[in-house]
Amino acid sequence: MFPKLVIVVLWVLVLNARFLHTQSTVEFEASADTAGSGLCFRGRPMPTCRSFFVIEGGGYTRLAAGHNHLDRSLISVDGGMMWNLSDRSALGLTLLIGSGMARMGFRARYRYWYKPRLSSDLSVGIVDYRDAGMVSDVSLNLRDQAAVVLRAEYFPKSRSALMAGARLGSGGALIGAVLIGLGALILSPLASI
């Protein structure tokens, strides 16, 4: 029941988030930088970028957990590529490496651009720790440099959890992942009070 509920909540958040933007498509297109159209280091919608690298680091703390979940907090790093399908959406694939239960896996990611500097991501993927599990994130991103994230993890044979956190993208991702992770480790005992 818990994993199904988390998946439904994540999908509702993403579908409803599409209606949060107030800028019209015409204004959105007019504000985009039309100088480039190739590969970008930091994510931007078309026509500025056709594709872009994803380099992110984040820290998460547990909000709720099913049976036998050992992690109160974790640090993870994502790296991969995304391709803009239109001026509003992008699709990509990232490699996830994380602390805690030695997470490593791949995730498919969808991005919806509200404005050139505001977007949401939905990612779903498979991670492996003794038994294959699923991890899913929904995030609200600012300038592809910072994001707030809600993460659900489900491992059929062992555990499940709902986590919240933040992540940094682009150049500050790796340094930020360590700092945010340390903050999550410090704050995680407060979550059990």
Side-chain angles (χ1 to χ4, degrees), residues 96-109:
L96 163 73
I97 300 172
S99 68
M101 301 298 282
R103 291 165 179 80
M104 186 168 179
F106 291 93
R107 298 195 296 178
R109 181 182 289 207

Side-chain angles (χ1 to χ4, degrees), residues 119-190:
S119 63
S120 280
D121 283 4
L122 172 67
S123 64
V124 178
I126 296 173
V127 289
D128 187 16
Y129 167 71
R130 295 185 191 152
D131 58 335
M134 184 185 91
V135 62
S136 180
D137 286 0
V138 63
S139 65
L140 182 62
N141 312 309
L142 180 62
R143 297 185 63 191
D144 203 38
Q145 293 179 337
V148 290
V149 184
L150 183 63
R151 171 177 281 185
E153 295 184 347
Y154 175 66
F155 291 82
K157 295 179 183 175
S158 61
R159 66 192 191 280
S160 58
L162 182 62
M163 304 182 105
R167 64 181 179 222
L168 298 175
S170 301
L174 297 177
I175 294 169
V178 171
L179 295 176
I180 291 171
L182 289 173
L185 289 171
I186 291 167
L187 294 174
S188 65
L190 299 175

Side-chain angles (χ1 to χ4, degrees), residues 12 21 48 165:
V12 168
H21 65 88
T48 306

